[in-house]
């Protein structure tokens, strides 16, 4: 290892979707200098083009299994699938941002570069094969988001949002780093395949795992739990979501979660499946994850009922949806279900991405230029003033509830199924019951749009680009609902075997 | 028979959906076109269901007109449809009720206030599609999809075009039904992953052959998987039926829904619950069905008496009819859990009868409401004198609903009582209390008839009520004809179901404990699980 590596040793071939995106974002920062202030949309078009290139490169890399940067970076279908979600999220978020920034007077080029950087962070989370890389990508994901959350400067709520996110995010990172350090202490390595080997050897020898390892895993769970906003690490979510500019909230609610879950799945399911305190079939972390899932489902869904602001409502709903994904993670802790549960979680995230971004797109359409107008009462009568938009929004709400013929149903079905098969029946029952609770507030939006009579918002924000995003997400929610194999088949090649270092 | 082409059944199933798509291309202003397009498609669907009946072979017990196409093969899910004796009449009933419900909406004044005429008929056709889907789906996954999809159009029908409290009623309807059905989803997922397939006939065959073991160790025993699965399905269906004490959504939904919505609710939607009990609970969980039968029959009898009692206390005609549904469907559930051929056949026929009679009652109430804008019993009186044909039609429907011999209701209720009397799991006491329900039905029905139709015209507003429009007569006449037809000639209706029901009863019947013989039989079979099941029912 004392040799100085040359470029060829890095094996960059399949890293280009991420590396290219990072380079593209840097290029965008420079190019933006030459774009006149009143034509900043051009930066957005450039950003979209960069995302598209990265998307195509990623498609080409889809079935590939390889590693780069001396095994710290893996390319496998798992990461490629997550990249699809991350890149689509960024693409739709930029579609939503262009006109929004214009009418709220925040049209600045660095916005798009920051989105690209944080997207690269999300993607890197999926590729990371080493705890240090996870940490680096966690920071790459988070820091641009802190800035973006406070982008509506000098608005107080937006500044509060950025500040809160920064402080709590720093805490989360500290937890993560400490956990990673303890795991390193216990296993002598930060490389995931190496950790896997050490833990598996210990498991085969029959001894109990070291306390250090258990505590370290717990701390990693805490750190990433902050990022995906599960109870009890969710406190920041409603305030940050409410204060941040809505397209940023839309991105955060999907992108940051996908990144967090990518690392959680990679560390817990891929690297530590046999971390067990006895001869039982379940991983040591399964019980903790089950409890977190249960608490998240209950709190997210119940508190969402009381919300009067659509952004806060979607914040709590996003907490609740993190709970459903945690259900899959808990199921993955049962020996032999890692792969099935990982696939269920991936499909769920894809479905959630389309549906949730669609809901945010509609929320952006009815928001006013000064950031007001995101009260739920704003939806009253929308079925009359903008029937199509309201109809699509109703469809998104049904998808979030998990009614059949929507993508959301497919996601929930797969997660409930794997939870039942893994023997976590009480958790599955809690999951379906909280779905009924969630129906109440999702249906509440439909009630406001269609059942209550009112003047109806003109939805001035529903410009061509926003409408385009709405139709795109609508297609992404409807088609997999009717043809579920569109989503499921994509995950068929996903395997939870670690790519060796 | 199992082909990927367009079978008759699939065509009938998707005809309403096609109609809904056609409506999308019409403009809101073309109200006439919208109405007649919706009516045309529902009428064509009705003729399609009659064709199904013609093509149906009554002597065979298995599924007919089967079509199966792989949908998600790696999960054992397929598009799998077919009809048998349990579902044929309900498919025809759906086909029969829908054109009437659509026709009855033509002259409704609600559109002057709420508009959105296209959306209304769109939801009607979507609802018809989903309801037929529920009755023909033979794959649990497909069934669940149709089952949940019926919720959405009905929710909007109540919520947008309902009466004053419509939002409350619509949300309650949605949440109540979803709460039940989502537990069923878990049960379905459990069955599907254990059996490796979601196809109902395959699962039933596996249960019968013992390939899919669902241990039964008492009603609520810790390892009693079968019992819990049974409950998962039962609660979903019981809410839909509704079985007492799960009925509280029904009066709200019925009273607030627009006339056509009530007709469809009473006519078809509630039948999805009782149909589900026969289709899924009995054959999939025979031991649990036998063990739970007495308890469920108690709920059914309570429902019969409670529904009748509460009906009598109502001052709102529509509410009275709504509670009468609780009572009538108690009979159906009682018949099903008699677990013998008469009981189940009577139950199936009574589903059709109730759909027609109660659907008819809601139509009559709707016609009165369009004229007087009130549903209070006290507001009427002597209507027969003002509207002679309406009065005569009302008399026939009321008599049919209370089970007068010679009309349809009698045939169904009588067969059910016969079944419950001869049942090895129920018996005399259940029959006695249920029979009491028939007397109570006569009380509240005649009370209503007397208050509304008889006596002098003592209210000034009632003196000049307009007579029935030809469209209203066209809605009522088919109902009256079918009431008489089933009442006088029930044979052909029973014929469709006999073979299937006999088969079903034979499957469940072997788990009914029969004194010493049963003990000997279980000992022979050497199965501790079975004997535990037998003890559970004592």
């Amino acid at each position: 290892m004392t040799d100085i590596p040359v470029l060829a040793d890095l094996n960059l071939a399949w890293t280009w979707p991420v590396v290219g995106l990072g380079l593209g974002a840097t290029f965008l920062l420079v190019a933006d200098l030459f774009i006149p202030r009143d034509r900043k949309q051009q930066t957005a078009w450039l950003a979209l083009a960069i995302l598209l290139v990265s998307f195509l490169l990623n498609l080409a890399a889809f079935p590939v299994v390889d590693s780069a940067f001396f095994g710290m970076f893996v390319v496998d279908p798992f990461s490629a699938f997550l990249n699809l979600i991350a890149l689509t999220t960024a693409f739709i978020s930029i579609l939503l941002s262009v006109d929004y920034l214009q009418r709220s007077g925040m049209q600045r080029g660095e916005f798009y570069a920051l989105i690209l950087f944080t997207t690269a962070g999300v993607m890197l989370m999926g590729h990371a094969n080493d705890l240090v890389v996870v940490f680096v990508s966690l920071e790459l994901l988070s820091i641009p988001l802190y800035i973006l959350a406070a982008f509506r400067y000098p608005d107080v709520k937006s500044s509060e949002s950025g500040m809160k996110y920064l402080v709590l995010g720093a805490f989360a990172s500290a937890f993560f780093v400490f956990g990673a350090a303890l795991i390193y202490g216990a296993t002598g390595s930060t490389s995931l395949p190496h950790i896997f080997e050490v833990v598996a050897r210990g498991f085969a020898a029959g001894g109990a795992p070291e306390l250090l390892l258990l505590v370290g895993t717990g701390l990693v769970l805490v750190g990433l739990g902050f990022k995906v906003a599960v109870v009890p690490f969710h406190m920041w979510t409603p305030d940050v979501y409410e204060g941040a500019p809505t397209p940023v909230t839309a991105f955060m609610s999907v992108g940051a979660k996908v990144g967090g879950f990518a690392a959680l799945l990679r560390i817990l399911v891929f690297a530590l499946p046999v971390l067990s305190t006895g001869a039982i079939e379940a991983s040591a972390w399964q019980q903790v994850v089950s409890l977190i899932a249960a608490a998240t489902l209950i709190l997210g869904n119940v508190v969402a009922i009381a919300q009067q602001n659509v952004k806060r409502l979607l914040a709590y709903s996003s907490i609740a949806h993190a709970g459903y994904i945690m259900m899959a993670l808990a199921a993955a802790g049962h020996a032999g279900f890692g792969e099935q549960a990982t696939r269920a979680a991936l499909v769920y995230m894809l479905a959630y991405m389309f549906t949730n971004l669609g809901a945010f797109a509609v929320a952006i359409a009815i928001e006013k230029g000064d950031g007001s107008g995101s009260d739920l009462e704003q939806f009253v009568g929308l079925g009359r003033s903008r029937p199509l938009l309201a109809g699509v929004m109703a469809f998104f709400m049904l998808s979030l509830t998990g009614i059949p013929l929507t993508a959301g149903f497919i996601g929930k079905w797969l997660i409930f199924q794997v939870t039942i098969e893994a023997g976590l029946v009480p958790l599955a029952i809690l999951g379906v019951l909280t779905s009924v609770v969630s129906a109440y507030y999702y249906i509440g939006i439909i009630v406001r749009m269609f059942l209550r009579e009112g003047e109806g918002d003109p939805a001035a924000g529903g410009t061509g680009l926003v409408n385009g995003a709405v139709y795109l997400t609508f297609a992404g929610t409807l088609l997999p609902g009717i043809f579920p194999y569109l989503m499921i088949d994509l995950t068929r090649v996903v395997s939870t075997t670690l790519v060796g270092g | 028979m199992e082909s990927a082409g367009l079978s008759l059944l699939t065509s009938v199933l998707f005809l309403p959906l096609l109609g809904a798509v056609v409506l999308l291309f019409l403009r809101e202003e073309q109200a006439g076109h919208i109405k007649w397009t919706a009516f045309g498609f529902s009428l064509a669907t009705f003729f399609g269901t009659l064709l199904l009946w013609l093509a149906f072979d009554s002597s065979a017990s298995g599924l007919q007109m089967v079509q199966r196409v792989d949908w998600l093969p790696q999960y054992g899910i397929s598009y799998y449809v077919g009809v048998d004796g349990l579902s044929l009449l309900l498919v025809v009933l759906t086909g029969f009720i829908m054109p009437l419900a659509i026709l009855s909406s033509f002259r409704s004044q609600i559109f002057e206030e709420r508009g959105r005429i296209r959306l209304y008929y769109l939801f009607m056709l979507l609802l018809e599609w989903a309801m037929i889907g529920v009755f023909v789906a033979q794959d649990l996954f497909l069934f669940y999809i149709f089952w949940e999809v019926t919720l959405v159009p009905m929710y909007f029908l109540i919520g947008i075009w309902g009466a004053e409290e419509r939002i409350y009623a619509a949300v309650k309807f949605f949440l109540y039904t979803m709460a039940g059905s989502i537990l069923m989803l878990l049960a379905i997922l459990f069955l599907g992953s254990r059996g490796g397939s979601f196809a109902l006939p395959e699962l039933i065959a596996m249960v019968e052959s013992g390939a899919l073991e669902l241990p039964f160790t008492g009603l609520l025993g810790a390892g009693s998987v079968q019992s819990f699965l049974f409950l998962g399905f039962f609660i979903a269906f019981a809410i839909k039926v509704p079985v007492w004490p799960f009925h509280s959504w029904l009066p709200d939904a019925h009273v607030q829904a627009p006339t056509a919505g009530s007709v469809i609710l009473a006519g078809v939607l509630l039948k999805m619950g009782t149909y589900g009990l026969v289709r899924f609970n009995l054959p999939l969980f025979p031991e649990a069905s036998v063990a739970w039968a007495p308890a469920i029959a108690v709920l059914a009898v309570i429902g019969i008496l409670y529904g009748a009692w509460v009906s009598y206390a109502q001052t709102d005609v529509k509410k009275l009819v709504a509670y009468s549904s609780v009572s009538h469907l108690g009979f159906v559930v009682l018949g099903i859990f008699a677990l013998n051929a008469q009981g189940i056949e009577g139950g199936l026929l009574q589903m059709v009868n109730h759909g027609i009679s109660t659907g008819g009652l809601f139509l009559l109430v709707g016609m009165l409401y369009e004229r007087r804008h009130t549903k209070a019993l006290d507001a009427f009186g002597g209507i027969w004198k003002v509207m002679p044909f309406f009065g005569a039609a009302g008399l026939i429907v009321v008599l049919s609903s209370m089970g007068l011999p010679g009309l349809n209701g009698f045939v169904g209720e009588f067969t059910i009582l016969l079944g419950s009397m001869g049942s090895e799991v129920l018996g005399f006491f259940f029959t006695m209390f249920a029979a009491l329900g028939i007397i109570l039905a006569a009380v509240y029905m005649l009370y209503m008839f007397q208050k509304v139709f008889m006596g002098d015209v003592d209210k000034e507003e009632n003196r000049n009520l307009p007579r029935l429009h030809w469209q209203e007569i066209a809605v009522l006449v088919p109902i009256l004809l079918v009431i008489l037809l089933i009442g006088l000639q029930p044979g052909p209706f029973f014929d469709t179901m006999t073979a299937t029901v006999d088969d079903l009863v034979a499957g469940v019947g072997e788990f009914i404990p029969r004194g010493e013989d049963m003990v000997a039989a279980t000992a022979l079979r050497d199965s501790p699980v079975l004997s535990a099941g037998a003890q559970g029912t004592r």
Side-chain angles (χ1 to χ4, degrees), chain A residues 243-400:
Chain A
T246 314
V248 176
T249 314
F251 181 88
M252 244 192 291
S253 71
V254 182
K257 263 186 219 294
V258 168
F261 275 114
L264 269 178
L265 286 164
R266 185 74 89 181
I267 295 174
L268 293 184
V269 182
F270 286 57
L272 294 170
V274 292
L275 176 64
S276 176
T277 46
I280 44 169
E281 294 174 301
S283 306
W285 42 265
Q286 188 195 34
Q287 208 159 16
V288 182
V289 172
S290 303
L291 284 176
I292 291 179
T296 309
L297 288 172
I298 295 172
L299 187 127
N301 281 313
V302 171
V303 180
I305 290 178
Q307 302 309 313
Q308 293 303 322
N309 178 298
V310 67
K311 282 162 84 176
R312 287 186 83 88
L313 184 136
L314 287 173
Y316 279 106
S317 123
S318 84
I319 293 174
H321 285 282
Y324 292 110
I325 304 175
M326 283 306 253
M327 275 174 72
L329 197 60
H334 198 85
F337 286 97
E339 239 156 71
Q340 195 189 345
T342 305
R343 278 183 213 150
L346 288 179
V347 170
Y348 195 93
M349 282 191 258
L350 185 62
Y352 168 76
M353 173 201 72
F354 278 121
T355 314
N356 213 48
L357 287 178
F360 271 110
V362 177
I364 284 172
I366 63 167
E367 194 176 318
K368 306 275 174 289
D370 58 357
S372 70
S374 51
D375 282 345
L376 285 180
E377 288 306 299
Q378 209 72 25
F379 282 95
V380 175
L382 197 67
R384 274 207 195 283
S385 59
R386 293 293 295 267
L388 203 58
L389 200 63
V392 175
M393 181 68 171
F395 191 77
F396 291 139
M397 292 297 116
L398 292 176
S399 176
L400 288 174

Side-chain angles (χ1 to χ4, degrees), chain B residues 161-229:
Chain B
W161 296 277
E164 298 77 28
E165 298 286 318
R166 59 184 181 277
I167 294 178
Y168 171 75
V171 172
K172 190 168 176 181
F173 165 76
F174 194 101
L175 291 181
Y176 236 95
T177 325
M178 189 181 164
S181 52
I182 203 132
L183 287 174
M184 175 169 74
L185 175 65
L186 286 189
I188 287 176
L189 292 177
F190 188 91
L191 271 177
S193 47
R194 277 288 175 87
S197 162
F198 284 88
L200 182 64
E202 285 171 18
L203 285 171
I204 293 176
M206 276 187 252
V207 167
E208 277 174 357
S209 70
L212 176 61
E213 249 188 273
L214 303 170
F216 181 81
T217 58
L219 292 185
L220 291 171
S224 198
V225 175
Q226 188 175 145
S227 196
F228 287 108
L229 291 175

Side-chain angles (χ1 to χ4, degrees), chain B residues 48-122:
Chain B
T49 61
L50 288 182
L51 280 181
L52 286 178
W53 195 348
L54 273 182
F56 186 80
D57 174 11
S58 299
S59 58
S61 79
L63 286 173
Q64 303 184 26
M65 288 167 264
V66 173
Q67 185 171 26
R68 188 171 184 183
V69 183
D70 274 345
W71 195 15
L72 277 170
Q74 67 266 45
Y75 289 89
I77 292 170
S78 52
Y79 169 80
Y80 189 180
V81 292
V83 286
D84 64 2
L86 305 181
S87 51
L88 178 73
L89 283 185
L90 292 168
V91 173
V92 178
L93 174 74
T94 313
F96 175 74
I97 295 276
M98 285 308 296
L100 300 180
I102 288 178
L103 190 60
S104 76
S105 319
F106 277 16
R107 290 165 40 75
S108 173
Q109 294 151 0
I110 195 78
F111 298 112
E112 287 158 25
E113 186 190 333
R114 312 264 166 76
R116 302 194 218 186
I117 212 159
R118 185 175 68 158
L119 202 57
Y120 178 87
Y121 289 104
L122 190 78

Side-chain angles (χ1 to χ4, degrees), chain A residues 384 404 413 421 443 447 489, chain B residues 71 74 114 148 155 159 189 193:
Chain A
R384 274 207 195 283
W413 155 52
E421 286 182 23
I443 294 301
V447 165
D489 280 4
Chain B
W71 195 15
Q74 67 266 45
R114 312 264 166 76
E148 284 285 83
Y155 162 79
L189 292 177
S193 47

